[in-house]
Amino acid sequence: MGILLALTLVLVYSYARNLKMLFRNQTTVLEMVSRGQLDTKVPVVTNDEFAVIAGYTNTMIDRLIERERMVHGLELARQIQANLLPSTSPFLPGVQIYGASVFCEETGGDFYDFMVRDGLHGPELVILIGDVTGHGVGAALLMASIRAYMKALLLQRLDLSEVMNRTNALIHADVDDSGNFVTAFVLSYCPLTRRAAWVGAGHDPAWFVPSAGGPVRTFAGRDIPLGVDPKWPYTKYSEPLAGGLLVMGTDGIWESLGRDGEMFGKDRLLQVVRGSVQEPPQDIAARIFEAVEKFTSGGRVEDDRTVVIARLA
């Protein structure tokens, strides 16, 4: 009996020591994971419940590593997309311009750009803005493609309608049968002739707020979004312009919802613009985003928000 009791105590002690070691291994690894260290796993040395726990822990670590890789990739994509958007205003006497975007995810489907190119009657400012269906990485890839297509065609000094025609055919080849499409708006302004020309592809109109007062003018296009029909002929419109503010945006601005379900709306957007019409474009854009943020009570951004403001002397 004494020998049996001694053996039992030895077994109990050995089991307790092994149990303590297993708990220590498990807690040590979990503590390292909590600090973001994912290079260690729990050793599996038994075939009991502790092995099951260790297996689940190691699977969790593998998935955390994969998630960390995805997060790093999304952050890199976000940085690349941010670098695609213009950071400075192009130099053109009599023109000031500023644009900004707020994405609802790490990457977004909104885009904008502006440049100065040689027009038929002298240097002209060209502004483009668009909204890709959907969000995330897929929308960002399509956004980068259409932006590249349009810029390359614009720099060839093509007519705006021809730029849209060719871009539409290229985008349709990219998105055929996917159900995706792009709304876009491109506008040019020549300070020497004080004349604007534009083409709209399913995108909301631009607004012009005259510096001298008077009604707000709307620059609308009547064509379909890009990528729907590769043979659709796009139409260019043109009007003379005096001094004032040109305002362009995406529906993430005016379709933002307040807590009561009401939309921010275009009227509120134009009220903000009218109330700050003498301020620099960058300050006006900031006021618009602040007004939307206040209206939504700081709620989650459900759609990408983009605005472009140009002051024409």
Side-chain angles (χ1 to χ4, degrees), residues 9-25:
L9 291 174
V10 170
L11 289 173
V12 169
Y13 175 77
S14 177
Y15 182 78
R17 185 179 61 183
N18 291 338
L19 186 63
K20 183 178 180 181
M21 180 185 66
L22 293 172
F23 271 124
R24 185 170 61 248
N25 290 338

Side-chain angles (χ1 to χ4, degrees), residues 149 153 156 158 161-171:
Y149 292 153
L153 293 169
Q156 294 179 32
L158 295 176
S161 58
E162 183 61 20
V163 170
M164 281 294 199
N165 290 337
R166 296 192 185 187
T167 302
N168 178 49
L170 291 167
I171 289 298

Side-chain angles (χ1 to χ4, degrees), residues 128-210:
L128 58 97
I129 189 169
D131 186 358
V132 179
T133 54
H135 311 292
V137 176
L141 290 173
L142 187 54
M143 164 267 193
S145 295
I146 185 174
R147 174 187 173 275
Y149 292 153
M150 294 186 75
K151 288 197 69 173
L153 293 169
L154 286 168
L155 291 174
Q156 294 179 32
R157 300 178 62 186
L158 295 176
D159 185 79
L160 296 186
S161 58
E162 183 61 20
V163 170
M164 281 294 199
N165 290 337
R166 296 192 185 187
T167 302
N168 178 49
L170 291 167
I171 289 298
H172 183 270
D174 290 344
V175 303
D176 189 23
D177 297 329
S178 69
N180 293 325
F181 58 87
V182 182
T183 68
F185 191 95
V186 59
L187 180 144
S188 65
Y189 172 73
C190 179
L192 296 178
T193 61
R194 289 184 173 273
R195 194 167 189 87
W198 68 91
V199 180
H203 200 79
D204 286 274
W207 298 278
F208 184 72
V209 183

Side-chain angles (χ1 to χ4, degrees), residues 229-240:
D229 180 355
K231 297 182 179 180
W232 184 272
Y234 287 85
T235 304
K236 182 181 74 172
Y237 301 89
S238 181
E239 283 188 18

Side-chain angles (χ1 to χ4, degrees), residues 239-311:
E239 283 188 18
L241 283 185
L245 282 178
L246 187 67
V247 181
M248 303 165 67
T250 59
D251 57 11
I253 296 287
W254 44 84
E255 291 183 2
S256 295
L257 299 176
R259 292 194 177 276
D260 58 357
E262 182 183 5
M263 288 187 182
F264 182 74
K266 297 178 180 178
D267 289 340
R268 287 188 177 89
L269 169 63
L270 293 176
Q271 286 176 7
V272 175
V273 174
R274 288 194 190 99
S276 52
V277 69
Q278 300 300 328
E279 297 182 12
Q282 184 171 354
D283 293 345
I284 298 174
R287 288 186 180 276
I288 291 173
F289 284 117
E290 289 171 3
V292 174
E293 187 74 9
K294 182 178 180 181
F295 180 80
T296 60
S297 302
R300 184 179 182 274
V301 179
E302 299 291 343
D303 194 7
D304 301 333
R305 301 170 183 171
T306 298
V307 66
V308 176
I309 309 289
R311 181 181 298 283

